[in-house]
Amino acid sequence: MTFREFYSLYLDELKSIYSKGETAAVTDTVFRFFAGLSRTDLITKGHLIPDEKVSSALKVSLLQLNENVPVQYITGEAWFSGLRFRVDKNVLIPRPETEELVQEAVQFLKGSIGKNVLEIGSGSGCIPITIKKYAQGVQVLSVELSKAALDVSEENAAANKVDIDFRKMDFLNENSWKDLPMFDVIISNPPYIPEEQKHMLDKNVSLHEPSIALYVPQNDPFIFYRKICLFAKTRLKQTGMIFLEVDSGAAQQTAEIFSEENFITKIKNDLSGNERFVIACK
Ligand code: GLN
C-alpha cells in the first residue's frame, strides 16, 4: 500500500469517530510522527510504499484510533505551551485551556524571585513545568497521588530541564499538609467530573484517560475545591493568589466556596468563551 492509499484509508475509517477537521488533524499527526511526512509531502511522496517498520506502525495506529485511543497516547507525546511532554495512559493529556490557566499564573509570578508555588495533581507535569520554565525565579512543589503519574512528570521535568519538587501525596487527607510551608500561588486543574457522568464523555476520554485524573464522587463533586479552600485559609500568604480550572458549568459554585470563606474571587472565560477559571485571593 502506498502512503497515499494509507492516508485515504485513515480518512475513510476515522470519519465515523471524529469530525472532518479532527480526522485530518489526527491523521496528519500520525503521518508526521511515524513517517516524517506532512500533508504537503504527500503530493511528492504519496506514491511511495513505506518500509516495513513504518507500514506496520501506520496499521497498528489505525487499529488503536479505531478503538478510540487518543492520538497522543499512540505517539506518546503532547505539546503544551510550546513544550513537549511525554504522555501515557497514566496521565491526563494536557488541554489547551490549561495553557491559559498557566499563563495567568505566570503573569502574576514573572520577574519575582523566590516565590513559592504549590500545584495540586501533577499528571504529566504540564502545569508546574511550564510555570518553572516561564517564571524562572520561583520554587515549585507539585503533589500527586499516583506513583505512575509522578514517574511521567519527573521524566518530563528532566527532559524540559527544570527543577521541580514532586511529592507523592494524598492532598485530600489533611494530615498530609502538616509539613507544607506557606505559598504565594496555589494552582490546580483537579478532577471534577461526577463519576455518574462518565457516559456523557467522549469515548477517547472515558475509555482511555486515567479515572483518577477525571472523576470525583457524585455526592461531593467539589471535594478538591473545598479542600484547596480550607488549605488556602492557613497556607496561602496574604498577598498570594489561587488559580483553578473548573468545569464550565461549575464556575459560580466554585467561586462561592471561596467567597463564603472571605476570599475575593474572579471568574474568567477561556478562549472558547466558557467560564473556565476561578481566581481567588485574600
Ligand atoms: N495537572 C495536570 C493537567 O492539568 C493533571 C490534571 C488532572 O489530572 N486532573 O493536565
Side-chain angles (χ1 to χ4, degrees):
M1 210 184 312
T2 66
F3 281 118
R4 197 168 293 132
E5 284 164 341
F6 265 116
Y7 199 84
S8 306
L9 186 67
Y10 264 68
L11 297 187
D12 193 48
E13 288 201 13
L14 296 180
K15 67 172 185 255
S16 59
I17 305 181
Y18 293 104
S19 71
K20 212 168 167 189
E22 281 171 328
T23 297
V26 162
T27 304
D28 286 353
T29 302
V30 170
F31 271 67
R32 200 169 299 219
F33 187 83
F34 289 110
L37 295 182
S38 70
R39 202 181 303 185
T40 44
D41 287 335
L42 287 174
I43 300 168
T44 51
K45 299 189 179 140
H47 62 285
L48 300 174
I49 294 176
D51 68 33
E52 193 48 44
K53 218 173 111 207
V54 173
S55 84
S56 88
L58 292 175
K59 281 180 204 155
V60 172
S61 299
L62 186 57
L63 288 175
Q64 290 176 296
L65 289 168
N66 271 320
E67 285 166 11
N68 301 93
V69 179
V71 68
Q72 294 91 336
Y73 290 156
I74 295 174
T75 61
E77 67 175 23
W79 291 85
F80 183 87
S81 298
L83 303 176
R84 183 186 175 276
F85 288 83
R86 188 174 80 71
V87 292
D88 66 22
K89 63 179 181 0
N90 296 301
V91 302
L92 197 76
I93 296 163
R95 304 293 203 269
E97 294 82 15
T98 309
E99 294 182 334
E100 298 177 53
L101 177 77
V102 170
Q103 222 171 52
E104 291 284 332
V106 167
Q107 231 146 49
F108 175 71
L109 286 163
K110 225 170 177 167
S112 54
I113 302 288
K115 287 209 165 153
N116 250 347
V117 177
L118 171 67
E119 193 245 359
I120 299 147
S122 320
S124 63
C126 62
I127 295 177
I129 291 168
T130 311
I131 288 181
K132 183 75 187 184
K133 199 81 187 178
Y134 295 110
Q136 284 174 358
V138 303
Q139 285 174 17
V140 189
L141 170 66
S142 176
V143 301
E144 166 66 55
L145 180 59
S146 153
K147 168 80 173 71
L150 272 180
D151 289 344
V152 174
S153 54
E154 279 173 348
E155 189 187 318
N156 280 326
N160 283 294
K161 300 191 172 55
V162 293
D163 199 10
I164 312 275
D165 183 6
F166 287 108
R167 211 172 289 177
K168 184 167 167 6
M169 178 185 290
D170 177 7
F171 185 80
L172 295 180
N173 177 357
E174 290 164 38
N175 290 328
S176 69
W177 301 350
K178 56 181 186 295
D179 297 331
L180 297 181
M182 303 279 290
F183 292 94
D184 297 283
V185 161
I186 298 172
I187 183 166
S188 186
N189 172 28
Y192 55 66
I193 302 167
E195 209 152 6
E196 281 76 356
Q197 287 176 20
K198 191 173 180 166
H199 66 278
M200 289 160 67
L201 301 175
D202 285 342
K203 273 197 182 140
N204 52 353
V205 178
S206 64
L207 293 179
H208 297 286
E209 293 203 81
S211 301
I212 187 181
L214 294 170
Y215 305 118
V216 284
Q218 181 81 13
N219 61 3
D220 198 1
F222 293 93
I223 185 164
F224 278 93
Y225 302 104
R226 285 195 300 99
K227 288 283 178 177
I228 290 169
C229 181
L230 189 63
F231 178 82
K233 278 168 73 173
T234 57
R235 297 295 218 288
L236 181 73
K237 290 186 193 168
Q238 211 53 39
T239 52
M241 293 277 263
I242 305 167
F243 299 89
L244 302 170
E245 190 165 328
V246 301
D247 190 8
S248 62
Q252 307 284 351
Q253 278 167 285
T254 309
E256 264 163 40
I257 293 172
F258 286 83
S259 53
E260 273 167 19
E261 295 295 337
N262 297 319
F263 287 87
I264 300 163
T265 62
K266 191 171 102 183
I267 292 172
K268 276 210 70 170
N269 289 7
D270 61 23
L271 288 172
S272 324
N274 299 310
E275 291 186 337
R276 180 67 66 197
F277 312 110
V278 173
I279 298 171
C281 61
K282 284 186 169 170

